Amino acid sequence: MALAGSALRRYLLLLAQEHLEFRLPEITSLLSLYGGQFSGEREIHVNSPFWILSIPSEEMARGLMKRTVCAKSIFELWGHGRSAGELYASLKSYPMDKMLPYLQSDSTYKVHIHTFNKTLTQAQKIKKIDALEFLPFKGKVNLKNPEHIFWILEDYGMDPNNVPEEPFHLYFGRWIADGQRELIESYSVKKRHFIGNTSMDACLSFIMANHGRVKPNDVVYDPFVGTGGLLISSAHFGAYVCGTDIDYNTIHGLGKASRKNQKWRGPDENIRANLRQYGLEKYYLDALVSDSSRPIWRKGMLFDVIITDPPYGIREATRRMGSQKETVKSAERSTENHIFVSSNYHLSDIFFDLLKFAAEYLVMGGRLVYWLPIYRPEYTEEIIPSHPCLKLISNCEQMLSSHTSRRLITMEKVKEFKDQDQDSYLLDGQYMPYRGHNSFREKYFSGVMKRIAKEEKYNQK
């Protein structure tokens, strides 16, 4: 993908070194949200903290940084090289008319040095700054509150055990904006009023909202809402949020607490209280007790984004409403038998019901973002559930153990839902490959038990 036109400027993105697989889909999704396209694959090493992007305007670069939690900062790139000499030559060839507005005599500035995988002494830093004396800086140095901040960034590679004497890459640029990394701490689950066994990590919650391209005034829905952690990140970006869950106690904040040293939940522990904690209550529509396998919504395209973390059967059970004696001929059940108990809900059924729901209830261009648990020895891309109305956008892995992981799947609605799409997944053979993961719980704990046995055997020696 590339942006048309010759007015593209080059920017340097400095990224955080966590959730590496999630970074590219997040940046790509956010650029598309602001009307741009990703351009820069040739100059990107996915695991590197330094990416060079071509973006049409500084305004779009600032918009990107108002959303991303994967990137730390963005810079207007003035020079880049594989050695100091190359960097200086690159800076000398940078158009002077683009430099001068930031080098005026009535302005203030400072130069900051950032190194990856190496620590420099203060003397070394000063020497590198002094080497830039050929740049026509006319303003005054102000280390505390400068108008303009310039960065020298040096990349010493990814191997901490083999750090080179000289950097592999050097960059020089004008600082534009920082990302939203502080949200990870301010929305930390540790400080949250109402939590459960499976409350989503704050960083991943914001990544999911960004993968889903959540924007102000969207309606975002979570069919397995739990304690509402995914609603919070969407509400932070100005979306109206709602959800359902089969667990009455969770929806109403009743029962045993998940916190250590707290036996029962307090009187005001609920999803609404969580949004109130962050000043987001005005975006909260409601949360209902409902079975996701039996949608309660009127027909039509109701939701802009569906973001969810379905239960895997590890910390939370996979349940749906139904008699234990329920048969395949459930449609012929007597209307007198209207009191249901929960029955098993196979993982394959959960995910194909979810895709079918998204295909029917998402607006065109709306996105579905969900976690898919995987038993790694049996994983192939063919097992990812699919639907003819939904296009796969990204597939990112987060390790859970040596043999299990979960994948963040992002899909976009590209085709209007028709009656013939109701059970299309059964016809195209996509239903069968994932069925082997119905026993994910057993495979997960078999690995845990093997590890425990191995550790006990080692300790006995």
Side-chain angles (χ1 to χ4, degrees), residues 125-412:
K125 291 180 181 180
I126 292 173
K127 184 178 179 181
K128 290 176 182 291
I129 293 173
D130 289 343
L132 295 173
E133 62 183 2
F134 62 87
L135 290 175
F137 287 111
K138 296 178 181 178
K140 294 181 179 180
V141 174
N142 184 333
L143 299 180
K144 290 187 176 180
N145 189 28
E147 290 178 55
H148 310 298
I149 305 174
F150 302 95
W151 283 48
I152 301 171
L153 303 102
E154 299 185 342
D155 182 5
Y156 287 86
M158 306 293 292
D159 186 358
N161 299 315
N162 186 23
V163 181
E165 191 65 33
E166 298 296 327
F168 293 118
H169 294 275
L170 299 93
Y171 309 90
F172 182 87
R174 178 176 64 91
W175 174 83
I176 301 294
D178 288 333
Q180 303 300 308
R181 297 286 297 172
E182 75 278 358
L183 294 179
I184 300 170
E185 179 62 26
S186 58
Y187 281 85
S188 171
V189 175
K190 295 177 182 178
K191 303 174 183 177
R192 193 166 297 167
H193 187 65
F194 176 47
I195 62 169
N197 294 333
T198 57
S199 293
M200 183 62 65
D201 166 76
C203 182
L204 291 172
S205 296
F206 283 104
I207 287 174
M208 292 177 74
N210 285 335
H211 281 210
R213 298 192 303 191
V214 173
K215 59 187 183 297
N217 299 318
D218 276 355
V219 177
V220 177
Y221 172 64
D222 183 352
F224 302 94
V225 70
T227 56
L230 300 182
L231 302 188
I232 292 171
S233 56
S234 295
H236 173 83
F237 293 131
Y240 293 94
V241 295
C242 59
T244 58
D245 203 287
I246 197 172
D247 192 322
Y248 180 94
N249 285 344
T250 300
I251 289 290
H252 292 281
L254 303 174
K256 292 184 176 181
S258 297
R259 278 195 172 87
K260 188 178 180 181
N261 301 324
Q262 181 182 342
K263 189 172 183 181
W264 302 101
R265 288 186 172 126
D268 194 34
E269 286 193 50
N270 52 56
I271 297 172
R272 182 182 293 276
N274 270 353
L275 280 105
R276 187 186 306 128
Q277 177 184 351
Y278 301 109
L280 303 172
E281 187 177 4
K282 66 179 180 180
Y283 296 112
Y284 180 57
L285 299 176
D286 209 347
L288 310 172
V289 180
S290 174
D291 178 4
S292 64
S293 69
R294 292 177 168 83
I296 58 175
W297 308 97
R298 63 175 171 82
K299 300 294 183 182
M301 295 184 285
L302 305 178
F303 306 113
D304 297 286
V305 187
I306 297 172
I307 296 181
T308 193
D309 181 25
Y312 320 145
I314 307 300
R315 293 183 180 179
E316 295 290 345
T318 54
R319 296 183 297 153
R320 62 178 168 185
M321 302 305 292
S323 167
Q324 297 291 356
K325 299 179 180 179
E326 191 174 20
T327 65
V328 178
K329 298 181 179 180
S330 57
E332 298 176 10
R333 186 191 297 113
S334 166
T335 55
E336 295 178 3
N337 183 16
H338 60 277
I339 301 176
F340 295 101
V341 296
S342 64
S343 64
N344 226 11
Y345 196 6
H346 292 304
L347 280 177
S348 56
D349 294 329
I350 289 177
F351 292 109
F352 285 105
D353 283 350
L354 177 62
L355 264 63
K356 186 167 65 175
F357 180 88
E360 187 169 0
Y361 290 95
L362 274 177
V363 301
M364 288 297 295
R367 288 195 170 186
L368 166 67
V369 184
Y370 70 96
W371 289 99
L372 183 75
I374 294 295
Y375 182 61
R376 300 188 77 234
E378 298 176 1
Y379 172 75
T380 62
E381 289 191 2
E382 286 70 31
I383 72 169
I384 303 298
S386 68
H387 192 283
C389 297
L390 303 172
K391 174 186 175 183
L392 180 65
I393 300 297
S394 62
N395 173 3
C396 311
E397 183 180 35
Q398 182 192 28
M399 297 290 293
L400 299 177
S401 69
S402 60
H403 60 289
T404 59
S405 67
R406 60 179 181 176
R407 290 185 167 267
L408 185 62
I409 308 296
T410 302
M411 309 185 87
E412 186 173 314

